Amino acid sequence: MKVPGPLVEGELLRRLSRFSLEALVHGRRVKAYIPNPARLPELFSRTTRLLLVKARGPPGRKTAYEVFGARLEGLTIGLDARLPNALFAEALEQGLLPEFEGYSILAKEPSYGGSKLDFLLQRGSERALVEVKNCSLVIGGEALFPDAPTERGTRQLGALTHAVQEGYRAYIVWFIQRSDAKRLRPYWEVDERFSRALVSAAGNGVTLLAYRAGLVDGEMRVLGRVPVELEEDYSLLKGVSFFLQSRWGVDKVLADAIAKLYYEGGTRATGRASSRRLLELGMAVRAEDRIVPLHPRMAVTNLIRALNLKALRADVDRVVAMLAGLSRLREGP
């Protein structure tokens, strides 16, 4: 599908709200609408180059541009969360998705089981419900979804599972708007409830499909399908260790140890050495006979001081989010 207008490069200055930011375009500060409510901390740093289009709509609107994407280390990343639905509809009609051969769109935004989904398809007497998801977070070749807890997404999985039991075909379709993804997996570290619901839905007949999409000659195109790997027992520690290594330059052995200490020491506090080291790192406090993790932001701040590290605000936010996810998992649903 064609990009809605010529792309203009700009430098991100700051994010103003969930749906707006300030950028520098041709030496002038402008406000831009970002059609993506995700936090995107891995992209929103001052070095990020944005791809913008002139805003469409009535004269006098508050934002002069809309964010289409970003360039990061030579990679173009699509950020418009509205695009996957339009891309799915166009690719379906043009026969570019072999998994949906013969289907046509019967309705958009159908309601089923108390949830609003994206498409109702028909092929002869067969009907299928489809929920399309946007994904822009990729770490080490792995596309991760969701990047924040999603109760709505969990409810939709329940509705799709019920639809299969009622005789429908049901699909979750991800469009990963970047070319470096080799696979997609649920982000267990961020939302375990959604991840487990996804495993259950797949086991009950909901089909999971993921496609890469990228900018080619001024058009957003489907670049191919990548596997969805559920990995129910995926280690929660791996993500924390990865960021300590890649973002802060921490030695792998030490990074693995810190992640292990935080999770195991804060969860069970059964190993005296682990608990003591956790306290030394300033990531927990002693409360009577238990070791209690500190608030994630305070824990990260103390960790930076203990290891004599320097970290960008975006990197701190990223690790805080991951540690907050671990804390939520310990507390349960």
Side-chain angles (χ1 to χ4, degrees), residues 141-154:
E142 286 187 327
L144 303 170
F145 184 92
D147 62 2
T150 170
E151 292 184 9
R152 178 174 178 267
T154 303

Side-chain angles (χ1 to χ4, degrees), residues 159-173:
L160 289 171
T161 299
H162 182 67
V164 171
Q165 296 168 354
E166 294 293 316
Y168 287 81
R169 297 291 299 272
Y171 297 85
I172 292 278
V173 176

Side-chain angles (χ1 to χ4, degrees), residues 2 15 288 293 302:
K2 290 185 178 180
R15 192 167 188 173
E288 297 179 351
N302 290 343

Side-chain angles (χ1 to χ4, degrees), residues 15-77:
R15 192 167 188 173
L16 302 173
S17 67
R18 291 178 71 200
F19 293 102
S20 65
L21 56 79
E22 187 177 46
L24 192 65
V25 178
H26 301 315
R28 185 167 60 94
R29 288 176 177 264
V30 300
K31 290 183 179 179
Y33 171 69
I34 174 166
N36 191 329
R39 293 181 62 197
L40 304 171
E42 72 282 0
L43 298 177
F44 283 174
S45 66
R46 286 187 62 87
T47 56
T48 298
R49 300 294 298 178
L50 298 173
L51 297 174
L52 307 109
V53 294
K54 280 289 185 72
R56 296 158 289 173
R61 60 177 289 171
K62 294 182 179 179
T63 50
Y65 291 87
E66 293 186 0
V67 176
F68 174 81
R71 294 197 195 278
L72 185 67
E73 299 174 355
L75 182 70
T76 300
I77 302 169

Side-chain angles (χ1 to χ4, degrees), residues 95-161:
L96 301 178
L97 303 176
E99 296 79 12
F100 293 92
E101 184 178 359
Y103 276 113
S104 60
I105 297 173
L106 189 61
K108 295 182 179 181
E109 298 189 349
S111 293
Y112 186 90
S115 288
K116 181 176 286 189
L117 303 170
D118 287 319
F119 296 97
L120 174 62
L121 309 182
Q122 185 168 11
R123 180 171 59 188
S125 60
E126 182 180 279
R127 292 193 174 188
L129 287 163
V130 179
E131 176 62 20
V132 178
K133 298 294 186 185
N134 177 61
C135 181
S136 58
L137 175 60
V138 175
I139 300 175
E142 286 187 327
L144 303 170
F145 184 92
D147 62 2
T150 170
E151 292 184 9
R152 178 174 178 267
T154 303
R155 289 196 303 271
Q156 289 171 331
L157 289 173
L160 289 171
T161 299

